[in-house]
Amino acid sequence: MSNISTNLKYLRKKKGLTQQQFADALAIKRASVGAYEEDRAEPKYELLKKIADFFELTMDELIDQVIDEHWKPTARGNAANLRVLSITVDQHDNENIELVPVKASAGYMNGYGDPEYVRELPRFSLPMFNQGTYRAFEIKGDSMLPLPTGSIIIAEYVENWTDVKVGQTYVVVSKSDGIVYKRIGQKFKEEKGLRLVSDNKSYEPYWVESADVLEVWKAKAFISTELPEPNPEPSLEALSSMMAQMQKTINAVADKK
């Protein structure tokens, strides 16, 4: 059973609003507010999200937690916070892999938690990824070479951000940077967030603050239409350098005898 009715009544009164004033602020009928507070009806998803935003809460807080004079909000950067994740399933009730193309990246920032938006994304399935929650993200740019722009990263949802591992690659969705594919340079810190590193060293590492992070996905595979080129034959200069290094090593060993 949700706590929407009692939470809504408490929060409205705490703000000093009458039912009519609150109804006007949300552009709904006063009678609807009364029905929600008396637990005779529950707001639909879109209105529920609007109410949560109005009181600067997450939907989980509004629905599941008991909000009263003793309640304290959890810090937004808390890596263990529960988050609403919208998914789709196939006819056998197995989770799909939704694809977020580059052209849909901007829309994803607003609709990632909206079931209707997620339902409109292209979706597919792969037999090796049938346990867990996965999403596919098209990347652009050259910051993660040798993966070329246009590659699709298949990634698994990370519920607790303290589980991220240094040196591994993740898709990080944040308010400030949107959707980026990076390597983790430092373990998640509540007070700082995530340090993101590009494989292309011409790009400087940077931090994404905890409060800015929306989702974290661990990279598991990639799809690309560009096949790798064969390794070029070593040049005469490279061979000479290798021989010189080998000679140095041999001389160092001989000197120790």
Side-chain angles (χ1 to χ4, degrees):
M1 182 176 176
S2 76
N3 296 303
I4 296 172
S5 59
T6 54
N7 287 345
L8 181 55
K9 189 173 185 177
Y10 173 79
L11 291 165
R12 174 182 62 77
K13 288 185 174 182
K14 188 178 179 183
K15 271 190 174 284
L17 299 174
T18 64
Q19 287 188 346
Q20 186 61 60
Q21 288 170 330
F22 180 66
D24 292 343
L26 268 71
I28 59 177
K29 294 179 180 178
R30 190 209 60 77
S32 296
V33 177
Y36 301 148
E37 291 187 356
E38 293 165 17
D39 204 16
R40 290 184 285 108
E42 282 198 356
K44 292 185 178 179
Y45 176 87
E46 293 78 8
L47 179 56
L48 197 60
K49 187 173 186 303
K50 195 173 179 181
I51 293 171
D53 290 342
F54 181 83
F55 291 116
E56 298 182 343
L57 300 170
T58 66
M59 288 178 63
D60 291 311
E61 289 170 335
L62 181 62
I63 296 170
D64 298 324
Q65 297 189 24
V66 176
I67 302 176
D68 54 22
E69 63 273 14
H70 305 295
W71 179 81
K72 292 183 179 179
T74 306
R76 289 293 176 264
N78 191 332
N81 266 359
L82 292 176
R83 302 169 188 89
V84 176
L85 181 69
S86 297
I87 61 170
T88 61
V89 295
D90 61 19
Q91 65 270 31
H92 303 296
D93 211 31
N94 297 315
E95 290 188 27
N96 294 307
I97 301 174
E98 297 86 16
L99 170 64
V100 183
V102 167
K103 63 182 180 181
S105 297
Y108 187 80
M109 301 304 299
N110 296 318
Y112 67 94
D114 185 347
E116 293 298 327
Y117 174 85
V118 173
R119 195 175 296 123
E120 294 301 317
L121 292 171
R123 51 191 182 272
F124 61 97
S125 61
L126 291 171
M128 69 283 288
F129 297 128
N130 56 10
Q131 298 292 325
T133 298
Y134 297 89
R135 196 150 287 173
F137 298 88
E138 184 183 9
I139 61 172
K140 67 174 182 177
D142 62 352
S143 68
M144 290 299 284
L145 292 175
L147 264 63
T149 187
S151 297
I152 293 172
I153 306 297
I154 300 172
E156 184 176 16
Y157 184 63
V158 179
E159 186 171 351
N160 191 332
W161 301 337
T162 58
D163 291 339
V164 300
K165 292 181 170 53
V166 174
Q168 296 188 0
T169 56
Y170 293 79
V171 173
V172 178
V173 183
S174 68
K175 300 173 190 173
S176 53
D177 278 359
I179 300 171
V180 297
Y181 172 57
K182 299 290 180 184
R183 198 170 295 280
I184 300 299
Q186 197 163 330
K187 189 110 176 131
F188 181 86
K189 293 185 175 182
E190 297 287 359
E191 70 278 10
K192 294 191 73 175
L194 289 168
R195 187 171 186 264
L196 305 183
V197 179
S198 300
D199 285 351
N200 184 344
K201 299 308 176 188
S202 62
Y203 290 85
E204 292 292 325
Y206 63 95
W207 284 91
V208 175
E209 294 182 3
S210 301
D212 276 353
V213 179
L214 299 173
E215 291 180 348
V216 179
W217 299 79
K218 186 181 187 306
K220 305 295 286 187
F222 76 93
I223 301 171
S224 175
T225 57
E226 293 188 30
L227 299 177
E229 296 290 335
N231 290 329
E233 294 294 329
S235 65
L236 183 60
E237 184 180 354
L239 288 171
S240 299
S241 177
M242 289 168 58
M243 292 297 292
Q245 186 59 44
M246 288 174 61
Q247 189 62 54
K248 262 189 185 178
T249 304
I250 293 169
N251 290 342
V253 172
D255 290 343
K256 288 180 181 179
K257 290 184 177 180

